[in-house]
Amino acid sequence: MQHTILITGAAGFIGSHLTLFLLDKGHKVIGIDNFDPFYDRRMKERNLALYAAHPDFSFYECDIRSEVSLRRLPSFDTVVHLAAKAGVRPSIEAPQDYIDTNITGTHNILQLCQHHGCKKIAFASSSSIYGNSTHIPFVEEGHEYVPISPYAATKRSNELLNYTYHYLYNLDILNLRFFTVYGPRQRPDLAIHKFVKLISSGETIPMFGDGSTARDYTFVNDTVQGVYGALEYLWTNTGIFDTVNLGNSNPIKLSELISKIGQALGVEPRIEQLPMQEGDVEITYASIEKARKLLGYTPQIGIDEGLKMFVEWFRSQD
């Protein structure tokens, strides 16, 4: 069955991969993006050019903070809500921007679903909501959530708001907690993209802390497969509200990541050690048993293969 899917943040990193995947599956996609100046608009325009001419794709430049602009969109039966102000550290400097976009914007999307009678929503949450939890690996239930940045707090707030709309209006919603997604077209502020660029330019890598912090790096293709599994689950079930981790379940220490990037580039990295930064957590580590059971989620791309694919893409951009 062909669905009409609204993707918020469709010109971004994950949004561009998901849009191509859904179009290839035969679905119609309505994409929106506001080209937030967090990074160069031209990167998103290049992403958009990959599918802008597809007959089942339509694009609207609009801001999720504006109810008026959202109401101009055509109808749809499913939403993948990816759009958000991203970044842990910038959220500490400008928390109101994150509240306005992530909380008010998500509320506007939920209201828009009400307006169009859309009942199916996959929401992009974040591993950051776990904070420095000592329950490792992170499981979805029975957790004391300790978000330590405004960004993380907004994502947890979104999950709670989603439950309210599920309860009041019978919306079927899956909160999908993403774990450090990377791959071709990744945002330039994220560690892997930033480190590859610095090493390739012969510059020093800033390493915050002693290199022992670890992240559960997840290749974008695996994340997209997980999102699609979530959509299939939503389409075939009703009365749904649940939360699922989409990670790789294999944390990599920062020092090891830098070494692996150097190996992928064939260059020995030069490191400048700096103090830990506010808002950074010690480790992210996804339990993915629930995703495996509910969504058939099985990540395929390990860190070495994923870094090789990223480096190939990065070099192709020159």
Side-chain angles (χ1 to χ4, degrees):
M1 177 180 175
Q2 185 183 60
H3 291 273
T4 300
I5 304 161
L6 174 67
I7 300 182
T8 70
F13 164 44
I14 298 172
S16 65
H17 285 272
L18 181 62
T19 297
L20 284 166
F21 184 91
L22 291 174
L23 290 170
D24 188 57
K25 288 286 187 179
H27 298 291
K28 292 185 177 181
V29 175
I30 301 167
I32 66 171
D33 208 293
N34 75 332
F35 297 97
D36 187 287
F38 189 63
Y39 62 94
D40 192 339
R41 177 186 177 113
R42 290 173 295 180
M43 288 189 66
K44 286 191 172 184
E45 289 177 337
R46 285 195 294 270
N47 293 344
L48 195 57
L50 296 171
Y51 39 85
H54 195 287
D56 285 330
F57 179 75
S58 57
F59 180 76
Y60 299 83
E61 183 173 348
C62 66
D63 195 314
I64 61 173
R65 293 173 295 183
S66 169
E67 282 190 273
V68 173
S69 63
L70 289 173
R71 286 297 177 93
R72 296 174 182 148
L73 298 174
S75 62
F76 48 87
D77 61 68
T78 305
V79 172
V80 181
H81 181 30
L82 301 174
K85 284 285 284 187
V88 167
R89 296 166 194 161
S91 76
I92 296 171
E93 299 168 5
Q96 189 62 53
D97 290 346
Y98 284 71
I99 291 167
D100 291 344
T101 299
N102 297 1
I103 296 179
T104 301
T106 296
H107 175 254
N108 289 341
I109 292 297
L110 290 167
Q111 288 287 95
L112 184 67
C113 288
Q114 283 288 93
H115 175 72
H116 284 294
C118 169
K119 295 287 189 180
K120 307 293 183 178
I121 305 169
F123 169 69
S125 189
S126 168
S127 63
S128 65
I129 68 144
Y130 291 108
N132 280 317
S133 172
T134 57
H135 189 155
I136 295 171
F138 300 159
V139 294
E140 296 88 346
E141 281 81 30
H143 240 286
E144 179 183 0
Y145 299 109
V146 283
I148 60 173
S149 69
Y151 169 74
T154 63
K155 286 296 188 178
R156 180 60 181 147
S157 299
N158 289 155
E159 293 183 351
L160 295 172
L161 187 61
N162 287 343
Y163 179 78
T164 301
Y165 272 72
H166 160 75
Y167 178 83
L168 291 175
Y169 306 114
N170 299 313
L171 302 185
D172 293 322
I173 302 176
L174 282 178
N175 297 316
L176 306 175
R177 292 177 183 161
F178 293 171
F179 281 69
T180 317
V181 186
Y182 73 102
R185 305 196 291 278
Q186 186 187 40
R187 292 197 335 254
D189 63 295
L190 294 174
I192 289 174
H193 195 154
K194 183 166 63 175
F195 291 170
V196 167
K197 184 175 182 180
L198 288 172
I199 294 172
S200 298
S201 302
E203 298 180 53
T204 300
I205 295 290
M207 185 176 75
F208 296 100
D210 63 3
S212 64
T213 57
R215 297 290 179 270
D216 197 349
Y217 295 100
T218 311
F219 196 71
V220 65
N221 294 21
D222 289 326
T223 301
V224 166
Q225 290 284 353
V227 174
Y228 194 67
L231 292 177
E232 291 187 313
Y233 185 77
L234 287 166
W235 291 329
T236 54
N237 293 277
T238 57
I240 299 300
F241 180 85
D242 218 331
T243 300
V244 183
N245 291 333
L246 294 182
N248 199 44
S249 204
N250 184 29
I252 305 294
K253 290 184 178 180
L254 178 56
S255 57
E256 184 182 358
L257 175 72
I258 294 172
S259 176
K260 286 181 176 294
I261 291 173
Q263 291 169 16
L265 289 166
V267 178
E268 184 67 31
R270 294 186 294 112
I271 297 172
E272 178 186 8
Q273 188 172 340
L274 300 169
M276 281 282 286
Q277 293 196 314
E278 283 187 306
D280 279 354
V281 298
E282 295 291 336
I283 188 172
T284 62
Y285 187 173
S287 167
I288 58 173
E289 292 309 307
K290 185 174 181 180
R292 199 186 311 275
K293 180 180 177 181
L294 288 185
L295 314 180
Y297 175 70
T298 307
Q300 301 294 314
I301 309 296
I303 188 69
D304 293 315
E305 182 182 359
L307 288 175
K308 180 182 177 182
M309 293 165 72
F310 179 83
V311 167
E312 289 174 353
W313 169 82
F314 179 83
R315 286 173 169 163
S316 75
Q317 302 305 295
D318 295 337

